[in-house]
mmCIF file of all heavy atoms in Angstrom:
data_model
loop_
_atom_site.group_PDB
_atom_site.id
_atom_site.type_symbol
_atom_site.label_atom_id
_atom_site.label_comp_id
_atom_site.label_asym_id
_atom_site.label_seq_id
_atom_site.Cartn_x
_atom_site.Cartn_y
_atom_site.Cartn_z
ATOM 1 N N LEU M 1 -12.202 -4.822 -6.469
ATOM 2 C CA LEU M 1 -11.129 -3.827 -6.530
ATOM 3 C C LEU M 1 -10.621 -3.658 -7.938
ATOM 4 O O LEU M 1 -10.634 -4.661 -8.615
ATOM 5 C CB LEU M 1 -9.915 -4.474 -5.634
ATOM 6 C CG LEU M 1 -10.323 -4.530 -4.025
ATOM 7 C CD1 LEU M 1 -8.964 -5.120 -3.289
ATOM 8 C CD2 LEU M 1 -10.618 -3.244 -3.538
ATOM 9 N N THR M 2 -9.919 -2.554 -8.173
ATOM 10 C CA THR M 2 -9.398 -2.275 -9.497
ATOM 11 C C THR M 2 -7.931 -2.980 -9.376
ATOM 12 O O THR M 2 -7.448 -3.386 -8.286
ATOM 13 C CB THR M 2 -9.258 -0.854 -9.747
ATOM 14 O OG1 THR M 2 -8.393 -0.245 -8.780
ATOM 15 C CG2 THR M 2 -10.493 -0.185 -9.711
ATOM 16 N N THR M 3 -7.242 -3.018 -10.401
ATOM 17 C CA THR M 3 -5.850 -3.566 -10.514
ATOM 18 C C THR M 3 -4.970 -2.735 -9.610
ATOM 19 O O THR M 3 -4.196 -3.327 -8.867
ATOM 20 C CB THR M 3 -5.358 -3.592 -12.034
ATOM 21 O OG1 THR M 3 -6.202 -4.285 -12.767
ATOM 22 C CG2 THR M 3 -3.949 -4.218 -11.964
ATOM 23 N N GLN M 4 -5.140 -1.489 -9.610
ATOM 24 C CA GLN M 4 -4.143 -0.658 -8.717
ATOM 25 C C GLN M 4 -4.627 -0.856 -7.326
ATOM 26 O O GLN M 4 -3.672 -0.865 -6.410
ATOM 27 C CB GLN M 4 -4.402 0.880 -9.128
ATOM 28 C CG GLN M 4 -3.723 1.222 -10.453
ATOM 29 C CD GLN M 4 -3.917 2.670 -10.735
ATOM 30 O OE1 GLN M 4 -4.858 3.348 -10.461
ATOM 31 N NE2 GLN M 4 -2.813 3.185 -11.344
ATOM 32 N N GLU M 5 -5.868 -0.895 -6.946
ATOM 33 C CA GLU M 5 -6.290 -1.091 -5.589
ATOM 34 C C GLU M 5 -5.826 -2.468 -5.082
ATOM 35 O O GLU M 5 -5.304 -2.551 -3.826
ATOM 36 C CB GLU M 5 -7.788 -0.909 -5.528
ATOM 37 C CG GLU M 5 -8.272 0.398 -5.726
ATOM 38 C CD GLU M 5 -9.809 0.473 -5.920
ATOM 39 O OE1 GLU M 5 -10.386 -0.556 -6.069
ATOM 40 O OE2 GLU M 5 -10.351 1.574 -5.928
ATOM 41 N N GLN M 6 -5.993 -3.424 -5.963
ATOM 42 C CA GLN M 6 -5.402 -4.773 -5.507
ATOM 43 C C GLN M 6 -3.933 -4.742 -5.241
ATOM 44 O O GLN M 6 -3.377 -5.545 -4.417
ATOM 45 C CB GLN M 6 -5.749 -5.844 -6.560
ATOM 46 C CG GLN M 6 -5.659 -7.294 -6.150
ATOM 47 C CD GLN M 6 -6.362 -7.691 -4.892
ATOM 48 O OE1 GLN M 6 -7.513 -7.655 -4.781
ATOM 49 N NE2 GLN M 6 -5.517 -8.192 -3.843
ATOM 50 N N HIS M 7 -3.216 -4.051 -6.120
ATOM 51 C CA HIS M 7 -1.789 -3.944 -5.909
ATOM 52 C C HIS M 7 -1.380 -3.373 -4.579
ATOM 53 O O HIS M 7 -0.528 -3.813 -3.860
ATOM 54 C CB HIS M 7 -1.147 -3.097 -7.097
ATOM 55 C CG HIS M 7 0.222 -2.836 -7.008
ATOM 56 N ND1 HIS M 7 1.246 -3.917 -6.844
ATOM 57 C CD2 HIS M 7 1.049 -1.704 -6.828
ATOM 58 C CE1 HIS M 7 2.425 -3.458 -6.685
ATOM 59 N NE2 HIS M 7 2.310 -2.077 -6.688
ATOM 60 N N ILE M 8 -2.115 -2.321 -4.207
ATOM 61 C CA ILE M 8 -1.859 -1.688 -2.946
ATOM 62 C C ILE M 8 -2.245 -2.647 -1.714
ATOM 63 O O ILE M 8 -1.451 -2.732 -0.806
ATOM 64 C CB ILE M 8 -2.773 -0.361 -2.866
ATOM 65 C CG1 ILE M 8 -2.466 0.680 -3.860
ATOM 66 C CG2 ILE M 8 -2.725 0.249 -1.340
ATOM 67 C CD1 ILE M 8 -3.392 1.866 -3.888
ATOM 68 N N VAL M 9 -3.227 -3.356 -1.898
ATOM 69 C CA VAL M 9 -3.631 -4.259 -0.890
ATOM 70 C C VAL M 9 -2.551 -5.344 -0.702
ATOM 71 O O VAL M 9 -2.122 -5.746 0.324
ATOM 72 C CB VAL M 9 -4.995 -5.046 -1.192
ATOM 73 C CG1 VAL M 9 -5.233 -6.256 -0.389
ATOM 74 C CG2 VAL M 9 -6.232 -4.103 -0.989
ATOM 75 N N ASP M 10 -2.072 -5.925 -1.818
ATOM 76 C CA ASP M 10 -1.039 -6.915 -1.826
ATOM 77 C C ASP M 10 0.271 -6.362 -1.102
ATOM 78 O O ASP M 10 0.922 -7.031 -0.319
ATOM 79 C CB ASP M 10 -0.726 -7.399 -3.147
ATOM 80 C CG ASP M 10 -1.909 -8.155 -3.834
ATOM 81 O OD1 ASP M 10 -2.780 -8.639 -2.947
ATOM 82 O OD2 ASP M 10 -1.881 -8.245 -5.148
ATOM 83 N N PHE M 11 0.520 -5.080 -1.425
ATOM 84 C CA PHE M 11 1.689 -4.373 -0.867
ATOM 85 C C PHE M 11 1.552 -4.366 0.678
ATOM 86 O O PHE M 11 2.572 -4.580 1.316
ATOM 87 C CB PHE M 11 1.916 -2.995 -1.602
ATOM 88 C CG PHE M 11 3.088 -2.424 -1.224
ATOM 89 C CD1 PHE M 11 4.392 -2.643 -1.844
ATOM 90 C CD2 PHE M 11 3.166 -1.357 -0.261
ATOM 91 C CE1 PHE M 11 5.527 -2.117 -1.517
ATOM 92 C CE2 PHE M 11 4.394 -0.687 0.061
ATOM 93 C CZ PHE M 11 5.522 -1.124 -0.504
ATOM 94 N N ILE M 12 0.395 -3.872 1.101
ATOM 95 C CA ILE M 12 0.225 -3.703 2.547
ATOM 96 C C ILE M 12 0.182 -4.986 3.307
ATOM 97 O O ILE M 12 0.885 -5.161 4.263
ATOM 98 C CB ILE M 12 -1.141 -2.904 2.782
ATOM 99 C CG1 ILE M 12 -1.049 -1.611 2.254
ATOM 100 C CG2 ILE M 12 -1.536 -3.023 4.264
ATOM 101 C CD1 ILE M 12 -2.432 -0.893 2.459
ATOM 102 N N LEU M 13 -0.382 -5.928 2.679
ATOM 103 C CA LEU M 13 -0.356 -7.371 3.326
ATOM 104 C C LEU M 13 1.162 -7.958 3.489
ATOM 105 O O LEU M 13 1.454 -8.560 4.376
ATOM 106 C CB LEU M 13 -1.092 -8.386 2.433
ATOM 107 C CG LEU M 13 -2.641 -8.159 2.566
ATOM 108 C CD1 LEU M 13 -3.391 -9.089 1.672
ATOM 109 C CD2 LEU M 13 -3.288 -8.327 3.984
ATOM 110 N N GLN M 14 2.101 -7.573 2.524
ATOM 111 C CA GLN M 14 3.381 -7.973 2.517
ATOM 112 C C GLN M 14 4.232 -7.064 3.455
ATOM 113 O O GLN M 14 5.325 -7.509 3.956
ATOM 114 C CB GLN M 14 3.936 -8.067 1.288
ATOM 115 C CG GLN M 14 3.273 -9.083 0.409
ATOM 116 C CD GLN M 14 3.585 -10.620 0.881
ATOM 117 O OE1 GLN M 14 4.643 -10.917 1.513
ATOM 118 N NE2 GLN M 14 2.580 -11.482 0.750
ATOM 119 N N ASN M 15 3.830 -5.790 3.644
ATOM 120 C CA ASN M 15 4.566 -4.739 4.423
ATOM 121 C C ASN M 15 3.631 -4.030 5.298
ATOM 122 O O ASN M 15 3.300 -2.843 5.147
ATOM 123 C CB ASN M 15 5.161 -3.787 3.433
ATOM 124 C CG ASN M 15 6.023 -4.451 2.305
ATOM 125 O OD1 ASN M 15 7.106 -4.704 2.540
ATOM 126 N ND2 ASN M 15 5.342 -4.822 1.171
ATOM 127 N N PRO M 16 3.098 -4.692 6.342
ATOM 128 C CA PRO M 16 2.130 -4.019 7.221
ATOM 129 C C PRO M 16 2.646 -2.761 7.876
ATOM 130 O O PRO M 16 1.817 -1.843 8.041
ATOM 131 C CB PRO M 16 1.963 -5.127 8.247
ATOM 132 C CG PRO M 16 3.050 -6.049 8.230
ATOM 133 C CD PRO M 16 3.562 -6.014 6.860
ATOM 134 N N SER M 17 3.842 -2.712 8.330
ATOM 135 C CA SER M 17 4.420 -1.578 9.110
ATOM 136 C C SER M 17 4.405 -0.395 8.115
ATOM 137 O O SER M 17 4.607 0.788 8.639
ATOM 138 C CB SER M 17 5.766 -1.792 9.649
ATOM 139 O OG SER M 17 6.681 -1.972 8.570
ATOM 140 N N ILE M 18 4.397 -0.571 6.859
ATOM 141 C CA ILE M 18 4.495 0.601 5.936
ATOM 142 C C ILE M 18 3.296 1.548 6.028
ATOM 143 O O ILE M 18 3.358 2.683 5.823
ATOM 144 C CB ILE M 18 4.548 0.090 4.487
ATOM 145 C CG1 ILE M 18 5.370 0.970 3.606
ATOM 146 C CG2 ILE M 18 3.104 -0.166 3.925
ATOM 147 C CD1 ILE M 18 6.758 0.900 3.825
ATOM 148 N N VAL M 19 2.147 1.104 6.533
ATOM 149 C CA VAL M 19 0.951 1.799 6.706
ATOM 150 C C VAL M 19 1.098 2.888 7.817
ATOM 151 O O VAL M 19 0.652 3.991 7.814
ATOM 152 C CB VAL M 19 -0.264 0.986 7.072
ATOM 153 C CG1 VAL M 19 -1.564 1.892 7.361
ATOM 154 C CG2 VAL M 19 -0.550 0.139 5.998
ATOM 155 N N PHE M 20 1.845 2.541 8.921
ATOM 156 C CA PHE M 20 2.096 3.389 10.020
ATOM 157 C C PHE M 20 3.161 4.350 9.962
ATOM 158 O O PHE M 20 3.208 5.305 10.709
ATOM 159 C CB PHE M 20 2.308 2.463 11.236
ATOM 160 C CG PHE M 20 1.353 1.288 11.443
ATOM 161 C CD1 PHE M 20 1.941 -0.037 11.751
ATOM 162 C CD2 PHE M 20 -0.019 1.451 11.329
ATOM 163 C CE1 PHE M 20 1.055 -1.130 11.737
ATOM 164 C CE2 PHE M 20 -0.648 0.365 11.387
ATOM 165 C CZ PHE M 20 -0.222 -0.901 11.570
ATOM 166 N N THR M 21 4.079 4.243 8.874
ATOM 167 C CA THR M 21 5.060 5.115 8.788
ATOM 168 C C THR M 21 5.078 5.924 7.466
ATOM 169 O O THR M 21 5.993 6.693 7.391
ATOM 170 C CB THR M 21 6.520 4.335 8.844
ATOM 171 O OG1 THR M 21 6.384 3.344 7.785
ATOM 172 C CG2 THR M 21 6.627 3.568 10.123
ATOM 173 N N ASN M 22 4.013 5.817 6.845
ATOM 174 C CA ASN M 22 3.942 6.558 5.510
ATOM 175 C C ASN M 22 2.524 7.233 5.335
ATOM 176 O O ASN M 22 1.540 6.673 5.765
ATOM 177 C CB ASN M 22 4.282 5.730 4.314
ATOM 178 C CG ASN M 22 5.659 5.397 4.141
ATOM 179 O OD1 ASN M 22 6.481 6.060 3.615
ATOM 180 N ND2 ASN M 22 6.047 4.196 4.815
ATOM 181 N N SER M 23 2.461 8.432 4.788
ATOM 182 C CA SER M 23 1.309 9.076 4.442
ATOM 183 C C SER M 23 0.602 8.508 3.261
ATOM 184 O O SER M 23 1.231 7.584 2.503
ATOM 185 C CB SER M 23 1.485 10.544 4.133
ATOM 186 O OG SER M 23 2.290 10.660 2.921
ATOM 187 N N ALA M 24 -0.614 8.805 2.916
ATOM 188 C CA ALA M 24 -1.253 8.309 1.774
ATOM 189 C C ALA M 24 -0.409 8.715 0.477
ATOM 190 O O ALA M 24 -0.403 7.773 -0.429
ATOM 191 C CB ALA M 24 -2.753 8.921 1.616
ATOM 192 N N GLN M 25 0.145 9.828 0.420
ATOM 193 C CA GLN M 25 0.955 10.232 -0.777
ATOM 194 C C GLN M 25 2.187 9.236 -0.942
ATOM 195 O O GLN M 25 2.625 8.939 -2.007
ATOM 196 C CB GLN M 25 1.345 11.653 -0.683
ATOM 197 C CG GLN M 25 1.994 12.197 -1.817
ATOM 198 C CD GLN M 25 2.321 13.679 -1.840
ATOM 199 O OE1 GLN M 25 1.915 14.382 -0.915
ATOM 200 N NE2 GLN M 25 2.964 14.235 -2.862
ATOM 201 N N GLN M 26 2.798 9.141 0.224
ATOM 202 C CA GLN M 26 4.057 8.216 0.348
ATOM 203 C C GLN M 26 3.768 6.730 -0.172
ATOM 204 O O GLN M 26 4.480 6.172 -0.951
ATOM 205 C CB GLN M 26 4.668 8.344 1.671
ATOM 206 C CG GLN M 26 5.371 9.672 1.907
ATOM 207 C CD GLN M 26 5.768 9.756 3.330
ATOM 208 O OE1 GLN M 26 5.094 9.242 4.307
ATOM 209 N NE2 GLN M 26 6.830 10.557 3.572
ATOM 210 N N LEU M 27 2.598 6.285 0.396
ATOM 211 C CA LEU M 27 2.148 4.924 0.119
ATOM 212 C C LEU M 27 1.841 4.818 -1.511
ATOM 213 O O LEU M 27 2.211 3.861 -2.124
ATOM 214 C CB LEU M 27 0.987 4.545 0.867
ATOM 215 C CG LEU M 27 0.456 3.089 0.603
ATOM 216 C CD1 LEU M 27 1.578 2.029 0.861
ATOM 217 C CD2 LEU M 27 -0.832 2.860 1.410
ATOM 218 N N ALA M 28 1.320 5.890 -1.935
ATOM 219 C CA ALA M 28 0.970 5.882 -3.441
ATOM 220 C C ALA M 28 2.243 5.800 -4.222
ATOM 221 O O ALA M 28 2.321 5.182 -5.289
ATOM 222 C CB ALA M 28 0.211 7.224 -3.840
ATOM 223 N N GLN M 29 3.292 6.608 -3.786
ATOM 224 C CA GLN M 29 4.563 6.588 -4.542
ATOM 225 C C GLN M 29 5.134 5.277 -4.376
ATOM 226 O O GLN M 29 5.738 4.828 -5.380
ATOM 227 C CB GLN M 29 5.468 7.643 -3.838
ATOM 228 C CG GLN M 29 5.047 8.970 -4.241
ATOM 229 C CD GLN M 29 5.912 10.084 -3.428
ATOM 230 O OE1 GLN M 29 6.740 9.758 -2.537
ATOM 231 N NE2 GLN M 29 5.796 11.392 -3.839
#
């Protein structure tokens, strides 16, 4: 994974519900 991709993974692992309530664009923001 790139640094940015790893950051997204870490964010999801700490905030699982964020995946179900946000679009790809919102998650990117």
Side-chain angles (χ1 to χ4, degrees):
L1 300 178
T2 65
T3 302
Q4 287 185 321
E5 291 167 349
Q6 186 62 57
H7 176 59
I8 296 171
V9 166
D10 293 339
F11 187 82
I12 292 173
L13 290 174
Q14 293 298 323
N15 305 272
S17 62
I18 212 75
V19 173
F20 313 132
T21 56
N22 288 275
S23 65
Q25 183 173 0
Q26 291 168 327
L27 181 59
Q29 291 174 345

